[in-house]
Amino acid sequence: DLFWLKRLKCICSTQVSRCSPNPIMRTLCQEESIKVPKGIKITIKAKQVEVTGKHGSLKRDFKHLPIELWLANGGKEVKARMYFAKSKQLSMLRSVCSHIANLFAGVENKFEYKLRLVYAHFPINANIVNGGKTVEIRNFIGE
């Protein structure tokens, strides 16, 4: 009987809330891993990741995401896991791994930001003050 076949298919799917001819499939468990490069120390506590390397220390907070983060293989690998996610929700798992990989790159490599000031009509002046920590901009709106 076709009715019972559709009903059985809906019950066997992983969606709980409603039965439809095309149920939304959810992944039971998805896991991603990232290898920790040599010379980098990482600590994970309550979804807060802190990475320390030769060029400083960076922190990132993932408390707003429904994932699990932990260190595996004696601290040589970071693992992230997510349960009962749809395909759009699984994309955040890979994004978390990319953010952590970017933290590794941030403490391994030194970054230098260059800023160029441009104006359309009124010339502006910029002075670096406070020991190189502040930029003072004069004549910004033509005053």
Side-chain angles (χ1 to χ4, degrees):
D1 198 3
L2 186 61
F3 172 76
W4 289 108
L5 185 62
K6 285 183 182 178
R7 193 82 166 144
L8 181 65
K9 182 180 176 184
C10 186
I11 292 171
C12 292
S13 73
T14 56
Q15 179 164 353
V16 179
S17 61
R18 65 183 173 137
C19 289
S20 64
N22 297 323
I24 299 170
M25 298 300 289
R26 293 181 184 216
T27 305
L28 292 178
C29 180
Q30 181 72 29
E31 192 172 293
E32 296 280 336
S33 65
I34 313 150
K35 295 191 178 189
V36 179
K38 290 182 180 178
I40 290 181
K41 182 186 172 200
I42 181 168
T43 57
I44 298 173
K45 185 175 182 182
K47 295 183 189 178
Q48 288 184 335
V49 179
E50 184 175 358
V51 178
T52 307
K54 63 181 179 181
H55 291 294
S57 177
L58 294 173
K59 292 181 184 177
R60 189 77 193 239
D61 190 5
F62 297 108
K63 285 188 177 182
H64 61 285
L65 298 175
I67 59 168
E68 288 182 7
L69 284 173
W70 75 96
L71 290 172
N73 296 336
K76 295 180 182 176
E77 195 172 20
V78 178
K79 293 213 174 198
R81 183 186 294 161
M82 185 176 218
Y83 291 101
F84 303 113
K86 297 177 187 175
S87 61
K88 293 260 181 164
Q89 294 166 336
L90 285 177
S91 64
M92 80 174 94
L93 186 65
R94 188 65 198 150
S95 294
V96 167
C97 294
S98 297
H99 285 306
I100 294 173
N102 289 340
L103 290 176
F104 293 154
V107 297
E108 270 186 325
N109 307 324
K110 194 169 185 178
F111 290 112
E112 181 180 344
Y113 290 101
K114 293 186 179 182
L115 177 70
R116 180 173 291 178
L117 298 174
V118 295
Y119 57 90
H121 188 277
F122 296 107
I124 59 174
N125 296 324
N127 295 326
I128 300 171
V129 293
N130 198 10
K133 293 185 177 182
T134 308
V135 176
E136 184 180 274
I137 299 174
R138 294 179 185 252
N139 199 21
F140 180 64
I141 309 175
E143 297 174 350

